[in-house]
Amino acid sequence: MKNIILLSLIIIPAGVACSFDSGGLAPQDPVFETVCDDGVDNDGDGYTDCADQDCQATAACLGEQDCDDGLDDDGDGYTDCADQDCFSDPACTGQEVCDNGLDDDGDGDVDCDDADCASSISCKVPEVCDNGLDDDGDGYADCDDADCVDDVNCLGLENCGNGLDDDGDGFVDCDDADCVLAQVCQPERCDNGIDDDGDGDVDCDDADCDTFS
């Protein structure tokens, strides 16, 4: 009889669900690094501020993005050149950027008008190799300038269709022996359907053929 009574005490009544005491703690929402420049590991994941991936896309961790816009882009209290992110930026080093349309070093001269840009490729004037002038101001004119080493005017060859004595031998264009094989110096054959002299006119359309019969 005693055994029957004990068993009845531990039988769970039908319809009563089991429950467990969680100590009164509610489930926690995910925690993120909320302040990215306070030196505190806000979410307790072992990473602080910009070292935490939660902060990587924030302004505080991207740095000063534009060093001459007058704005504190990263919100650290320092603007443009006063921000250490900009210390090596041309806008803050006193150097002129030679192709941005700005007076970067504040000396009143912009881009190629600034003496800082004298040797910049952006401001280099090309040497014209047959005008007798030192166009790029490097002390060498025409074929004496290394810029002209591959220019036709400096190869000792006659340009056979420009009306100039390119090689300076006293003979111009087709009168120069250099041009004996040049197409422009070949006679137009007036009955072969070919533009023999390369002037764009074929056979009887070519003035060379006016007397052809």
Side-chain angles (χ1 to χ4, degrees):
M1 184 67 177
K2 291 180 179 180
N3 290 337
I4 295 173
I5 295 173
L6 289 173
L7 286 172
S8 66
L9 291 175
I10 62 173
I11 293 174
I12 299 173
V16 178
C18 299
S19 62
F20 300 93
D21 187 358
S22 63
L25 297 176
Q28 296 296 307
D29 292 329
V31 179
F32 298 96
E33 191 83 357
T34 54
V35 182
C36 296
D37 59 359
D38 62 354
V40 177
D41 178 15
N42 307 112
D43 57 6
D45 64 356
Y47 299 97
T48 301
D49 294 349
C50 296
D52 192 308
Q53 64 178 3
D54 298 335
C55 291
Q56 289 176 0
T58 64
C61 298
L62 289 174
E64 191 80 356
Q65 297 298 294
D66 190 333
C67 296
D68 60 359
D69 62 354
L71 301 175
D72 177 16
D73 304 297
D74 56 5
D76 64 356
Y78 299 96
T79 300
D80 294 349
C81 295
D83 192 308
Q84 64 179 0
D85 297 334
C86 292
F87 286 172
S88 61
D89 191 279
C92 304
T93 59
Q95 295 177 344
E96 182 74 8
V97 179
C98 300
D99 59 358
N100 65 353
L102 301 175
D103 178 18
D104 303 287
D105 57 6
D107 64 357
D109 298 314
V110 176
D111 292 354
C112 295
D113 291 330
D114 194 305
D116 295 339
C117 294
S119 61
S120 171
I121 191 169
S122 300
C123 302
K124 187 174 175 61
V125 177
E127 182 73 11
V128 179
C129 300
D130 61 356
N131 65 353
L133 302 175
D134 177 17
D135 303 286
D136 58 7
D138 64 356
Y140 300 96
D142 295 352
C143 295
D144 291 330
D145 193 307
D147 296 339
C148 294
V149 64
D150 294 323
D151 190 275
V152 65
N153 297 293
C154 302
L155 293 174
L157 301 176
E158 182 74 8
N159 182 331
C160 300
N162 65 355
L164 301 175
D165 178 17
D166 303 289
D167 57 6
D169 64 357
F171 299 98
V172 176
D173 294 352
C174 295
D175 291 331
D176 194 304
D178 295 337
C179 294
V180 65
L181 297 178
Q183 183 180 20
V184 70
C185 297
Q186 305 307 307
E188 180 73 13
R189 293 181 58 185
C190 302
D191 58 358
N192 65 353
I194 297 173
D195 179 16
D196 303 287
D197 58 5
D199 65 357
D201 299 315
V202 177
D203 293 353
C204 293
D205 292 329
D206 193 307
D208 296 339
C209 295
D210 286 349
T211 59
F212 179 76
S213 59

